[in-house]
Amino acid sequence: MVLFCPCEEDAVTLVKLQLWPGSAKRPQVAFHSKLMMLAEMLLLECHVSLKKFCDTLGLEKSNMLPTWKNDRQDILSSVELAIPVFHSYGHKSLCQIGNSPRRKSAFGLTDSEGIERLWAYLRGFSAITKEMIPGRRVDVLTDGLLHYAQHRINQFGPSLLAKVKRAKELLETTKLQLDEIFSKLQVPLDASLIERWTDEEKSLLLSRNRLPGCLDFDDVKDPESSIYQDFKVVADEQVPFSIKRTVIDLHHLTERCKEELGLVNIEIASIAEFSTDNLQAESEMQDLLCDSDSEDDIDEDVFEIGISDDDAEDDDDMLLDC
């Protein structure tokens, strides 16, 4: 317990006691300087994050960590996460099939790499802005972002049409490929079969992740060795694993194409509504301007009618006399 003196700030008292206050005014928690030095050394030398450090100490919550606004941790339960397609090859196979945008519903044909395209555009400013002062650099990047945003807005129409065309062509192609594959197999195509093959794929990849520590080098090099047999044939249907995985990918791609068409229709409807509202607002503004101009014209007519030429001459004579 710390006894504070009213003659100085509470934070000053804590600092004198080698305690770093959690807040400059009315601090409710403080951290000893040695504890903070330990956290810093663990961060720099062992790469231990502040969260893991606090968890190790048994602290449920640290005031030094960012918190959810209004304690809305439930937001994550309604958010679906996936790995961008350009980054998926850096993950394990099990992670790829579990978190790929092509394997998750409601993602359509998006590759989730929109932000990477923005970075690619901004990369061109790196050589230009590196010698600028911070204020000027912010101005240039702001202008670039505004230009990029306007360019994307102008491309809404052609982009949506291209998405529709691509989704339809891809949907037709995948259906033809599935029909061609199943014409050579002895099993019919249905949803239950795809689901069963997907479960087999996951269990097989899980077993592959638990390979024994010692493997014979010749077996690893030989595609006909027992290591690779599970990936080739399943005894009950005699369907190679590679064919199963191709069918699973094509099935999910078909579903994503259907979703893409639905999502594009929603975007087109939203843009049409937005454009209609803008046109209506612009029309109302023009009507107001026209009404204002007509009132000004009426006032000028009244002013011209109310003053005759004789009155104007009399006014001029009065001004000369003055």
Side-chain angles (χ1 to χ4, degrees):
M1 182 176 180
V2 179
L3 298 178
F4 295 100
C5 179
C7 62
E8 64 180 5
E9 296 291 336
D10 296 345
V12 176
T13 303
L14 291 174
V15 171
K16 289 181 178 180
L17 297 175
Q18 296 186 352
L19 296 173
W20 187 259
S23 174
K25 295 182 179 180
R26 296 187 298 275
Q28 301 296 320
V29 64
F31 304 91
H32 199 278
S33 59
K34 292 184 178 180
L35 179 66
M36 297 184 65
M37 291 174 62
L38 175 62
E40 182 182 13
M41 293 303 298
L42 290 175
L43 172 65
L44 299 177
E45 295 292 336
C46 305
H47 305 142
V48 178
S49 66
L50 181 60
K51 181 180 184 304
K52 292 182 179 179
F53 179 75
C54 294
D55 292 341
T56 304
L57 296 178
L59 301 177
E60 296 182 358
K61 183 178 179 181
S62 172
N63 292 339
M64 299 174 64
L65 295 175
T67 57
W68 287 95
K69 186 176 181 180
N70 300 328
D71 292 332
R72 290 299 307 275
Q73 291 93 344
D74 59 319
I75 295 178
L76 284 179
S77 61
S78 58
V79 175
E80 192 74 23
L81 302 177
I83 302 174
V85 293
F86 296 163
H87 296 76
S88 61
Y89 293 104
H91 295 252
K92 295 181 179 180
S93 299
L94 189 62
C95 185
Q96 291 182 22
I97 66 172
N99 299 288
S100 172
R102 296 293 181 266
R103 295 292 188 98
K104 286 180 170 288
S105 60
F107 276 84
L109 294 178
T110 180
D111 54 16
S112 304
E113 296 289 355
I115 193 65
E116 294 294 336
R117 295 183 177 89
L118 176 60
W119 300 145
Y121 169 74
L122 292 178
R123 189 182 300 122
F125 294 100
S126 59
I128 304 173
T129 59
K130 66 180 181 180
E131 302 294 339
M132 293 181 179
I133 61 175
R136 180 56 180 163
R137 186 183 302 115
V138 171
D139 291 340
V140 172
L141 294 178
T142 301
D143 291 340
L145 290 172
L146 292 175
H147 173 76
Y148 183 82
Q150 187 61 45
H151 174 73
R152 297 298 300 171
I153 292 174
N154 295 337
Q155 292 296 319
F156 268 159
S159 176
L160 292 177
L161 291 177
K163 286 183 178 181
V164 172
K165 182 179 179 181
R166 175 172 175 260
K168 289 182 177 180
E169 292 178 352
L170 198 56
L171 180 61
E172 183 178 355
T173 302
T174 52
K175 287 183 176 179
L176 292 176
Q177 291 177 349
L178 283 173
D179 293 339
E180 182 181 357
I181 291 175
F182 275 89
S183 64
K184 302 176 183 179
L185 299 178
Q186 302 298 324
V187 291
L189 173 61
D190 55 22
S192 60
L193 178 67
I194 300 296
E195 184 177 357
R196 180 156 56 87
W197 284 1
T198 303
D199 294 337
E200 292 178 2
E201 180 188 37
K202 291 181 180 179
S203 61
L204 186 58
L205 291 175
L206 281 173
S207 64
R208 292 298 96 184
N209 288 336
R210 294 191 294 266
L211 285 173
C214 297
L215 294 175
D216 187 83
F217 183 72
D218 293 332
D219 290 340
V220 174
K221 292 181 60 178
D222 184 11
E224 302 299 329
S225 65
S226 59
I227 298 176
Y228 301 96
Q229 291 305 312
D230 291 340
F231 289 92
K232 290 184 176 181
V233 176
V234 177
D236 57 348
E237 296 164 348
Q238 297 297 315
V239 179
F241 174 79
S242 59
I243 299 298
K244 288 185 177 182
R245 191 161 194 179
T246 301
V247 170
I248 294 171
D249 290 338
L250 290 175
H251 170 74
H252 285 289
L253 185 57
T254 302
E255 297 299 320
R256 300 294 84 77
C257 290
K258 296 177 182 178
E259 291 175 359
E260 181 76 1
L261 293 174
L263 293 173
V264 170
N265 289 332
I266 294 175
E267 290 184 16
I268 292 175
S270 300
I271 293 176
E273 182 180 0
F274 175 77
S275 301
T276 303
D277 294 341
N278 283 348
L279 290 175
Q280 184 177 359
E282 184 178 354
S283 177
E284 293 176 355
M285 182 62 68
Q286 290 179 353
D287 293 340
L288 290 174
L289 292 175
C290 291
D291 294 340
S292 177
D293 293 339
S294 61
E295 291 178 358
D296 294 340
D297 294 340
I298 293 174
D299 294 339
E300 291 178 359
D301 294 339
V302 172
F303 182 76
E304 291 175 356
I305 294 173
I307 300 178
S308 62
D309 294 338
D310 296 337
D311 295 336
E313 292 178 357
D314 294 340
D315 292 339
D316 293 338
D317 295 337
M318 293 176 63
L319 290 174
L320 291 174
D321 294 338
C322 293

